[in-house]
Amino acid sequence: MAIVSPTSPTPVSARPVPTDAPRRARTTALLALLVGALLVSALAAAGSGQLAIPLAEVAGSFLHRLGLDIGPLPTHPRGDATLWTIRFPRVVMAMLVGAALAVAGAVMQGVFGNPLAEPSIVGVSSGAAVAAASSIVLGLTFAGTWTIAVCAFVGGLVTTLAVYGLSRADGRTEVVTLVLTGIAVNAVAAAGLGLLMFLGDTQAREQIVFWQLGSLNGSRWQYVGVVAPLVALGIMASLLSARSLDLLALGERQARHLGVHVERLRIFLVVVVALLTAAAVSFCGIVAFVGLVVPHLVRMVTGPGHRVLLPASMVAGALVLVVADLGARTLVAYADLPIGMLTSLVGGPFFFWLLRRTRRSAGGWS
C-alpha cells in the first residue's frame, strides 16, 4: 500500500482520469433542448395564421392521422384541411430547408477550413438559383417535377467547383480570396437573374423575384416529396464523413498520414454541398446566412467535432427556419414577408462580426 506524503507526487493510480463527460452532458442536453424546441415551434407554426388553431388541436389532428385516438380534432370546419394542405407541408419544408442549409454550411466550413464559408456568401445558392430560374424561363421539363431540382443541383455544383478552384492558393484557402470570389459569383448571378427577368414573361419574372427574396409560400406535399430524399441523402453523406472532416481539421498532411484521401474527400463533399443547396433553393429560393450563423452558434456549445456538430446543426437549422417562417407569416397582418429578407437581417450583422473576429484572430488577412 502506497503512502503519500504531502510533498511526494501523487501516484498514477490515484490521479483523476481526464474525461469528456461534461461536454457529452452539454451536448446531450443541447440536442434534447433543440428537439423539444423544434417540436413546440412546429406545432405553434402549424397553428398560427389567419385561421388560428390551438396547439392541442394541432397535435390531435397529427396523432389521429397516425391512427392514435389522442387529443381533440380541430373544431373549425376548415381546420383539418388547412393543416394538412397548407400548414404542415410548409412546416416540414421549413425543417428540411433549414437542416440542409445548416449542414451544408458546417460541411463547407470544414472542407475549406474557413469560418466564413457558407453557400449564400460564396455564391453557391445564387448559382443554383440562376440554373433553376433558367429552367423556368426556358420551360424545361425533361425530368418532370424533378427538373428544377436537377438544374439547381447542376448550377450549385458548377458554382461550388469554381469557388473551390479560384479560392485555392499554394494548397490552402485564403479568407480574402474566398470572400472576393463569392462577391464576384454573386454579382454574375445577379446579372444572370436580371437577364432572365428581361427575357421571361410576367409569370417568369414573378418566380425569379421569388428566388431572389426566398419564401416558403406555396409549399405542397409534392414539393416536399422532391426535396426530402435529396436532403436525406446529403445529410447522410455528411454524417458518414464526419470523422474524415475531423481529421482534415488537423491539416492536410496529417490527414493524409491518417489515411484520408484529401482531394477525393473535398470533391465528394463539394458535390454533397451542391446537393443540399439545390434541395434548399429548388422550391424556396435563396435563404441566406442560415449556414453561417447556425454552425457557429452550435460550435460554441459542442466544440469543433463534426460527429456532434453536424447533427446538432441539422436540428438547430430546422428550428431556426421554422421560427423565421413563423415570423414571416405573423409579423405583418395579412402579409407573407420574404423569409430570405428576415434571415439576412440577422445574418448580415453576424457575418460582419465574424469577419472582424477572424481578421483579429489571424493577425490580418490570411
Side-chain angles (χ1 to χ4, degrees), residues 129-171:
V130 169
S134 299
S135 71
I136 295 171
V137 173
L138 298 176
L140 302 179
T141 57
F142 60 88
T145 56
W146 291 76
T147 302
I148 296 177
V150 170
C151 291
F153 169 72
V154 173
L157 178 60
V158 171
T159 308
T160 309
L161 291 173
V163 169
Y164 173 70
L166 293 173
S167 61
R168 296 279 290 174
D170 299 326

Side-chain angles (χ1 to χ4, degrees), residues 24 29 31 45 84 104 114 133 143 155 179 184 191 194 214 228 241 247-248 254 300 303 312-313 322 327 333 359:
R24 287 200 198 96
L31 288 173
W84 288 98
N114 194 305
V179 174
S241 304
L247 296 178
L248 185 60
Q254 290 84 348
M300 291 177 183
S313 295
V322 168
R359 185 178 182 181

Side-chain angles (χ1 to χ4, degrees), residues 293-316:
V293 174
V294 172
H296 278 285
L297 295 179
V298 172
R299 196 179 286 112
M300 291 177 183
V301 180
T302 65
H306 288 84
R307 281 176 284 189
V308 177
L309 174 65
L310 291 177
S313 295
M314 176 185 68
V315 182

Side-chain angles (χ1 to χ4, degrees), residues 8-331:
S8 63
T10 305
V12 175
S13 58
R15 295 174 187 170
V17 179
T19 177
D20 289 335
R23 173 163 287 182
R24 287 200 198 96
R26 288 199 305 270
T27 300
T28 303
L30 175 66
L31 288 173
L33 179 63
L34 289 174
V35 171
L38 178 60
L39 293 176
V40 174
S41 299
L43 293 175
S48 301
Q50 296 184 23
L51 175 60
I53 303 174
L55 291 182
E57 296 181 2
V58 174
S61 177
F62 180 77
L63 292 173
H64 276 78
R65 286 294 179 106
L66 295 179
L68 302 175
D69 190 13
I70 302 174
L73 289 171
T75 55
H76 195 281
R78 297 197 311 273
D80 207 53
T82 299
L83 287 175
W84 288 98
T85 59
I86 299 175
R87 303 275 179 82
F88 282 149
R90 183 163 180 162
V91 170
V92 174
M93 183 68 83
M95 291 182 183
L96 292 172
V97 172
L101 291 174
V103 172
V107 170
M108 281 196 77
Q109 290 161 17
V111 168
F112 287 111
N114 194 305
L116 303 178
E118 195 262 348
S120 65
I121 292 174
V122 299
V124 180
S125 297
S126 298
V130 169
S134 299
S135 71
I136 295 171
V137 173
L138 298 176
L140 302 179
T141 57
F142 60 88
T145 56
W146 291 76
T147 302
I148 296 177
V150 170
C151 291
F153 169 72
V154 173
L157 178 60
V158 171
T159 308
T160 309
L161 291 173
V163 169
Y164 173 70
L166 293 173
S167 61
R168 296 279 290 174
D170 299 326
R172 64 193 183 96
T173 305
E174 297 181 345
V175 174
V176 65
T177 307
L178 182 71
V179 174
L180 292 177
T181 302
I183 292 173
V185 169
N186 280 318
V188 172
L193 287 172
L195 178 62
L196 290 170
M197 291 180 67
F198 177 78
L199 297 175
D201 55 18
T202 303
Q203 183 179 0
R205 291 191 191 99
E206 291 177 354
Q207 287 183 282
I208 292 172
V209 171
F210 158 86
W211 283 111
Q212 292 176 305
L213 298 177
S215 175
L216 292 169
N217 189 22
S219 299
R220 296 293 181 266
W221 286 120
Q222 58 265 35
Y223 303 153
V224 173
V226 174
V227 173
L230 297 177
V231 173
L233 181 61
I235 290 178
M236 184 61 66
S238 301
L239 294 176
L240 292 176
S241 304
R243 181 178 179 275
S244 298
L245 282 170
D246 287 341
L247 296 178
L248 185 60
L250 300 175
E252 292 188 17
R253 182 176 299 178
Q254 290 84 348
R256 288 193 184 97
H257 286 318
L258 292 171
V260 178
H261 195 296
V262 175
E263 290 305 315
R264 186 183 302 167
L265 174 66
R266 280 203 168 111
I267 292 174
F268 171 73
L269 290 176
V270 160
V271 175
V272 170
V273 168
L275 179 67
L276 289 170
T277 305
V281 306
S282 57
F283 295 104
C284 302
I286 300 174
V287 181
F289 292 108
V290 174
L292 176 72
V293 174
V294 172
H296 278 285
L297 295 179
V298 172
R299 196 179 286 112
M300 291 177 183
V301 180
T302 65
H306 288 84
R307 281 176 284 189
V308 177
L309 174 65
L310 291 177
S313 295
M314 176 185 68
V315 182
L319 172 62
V320 166
L321 214 61
V322 168
V323 173
D325 185 55
L326 176 60
R329 291 192 291 111
T330 58
L331 287 176

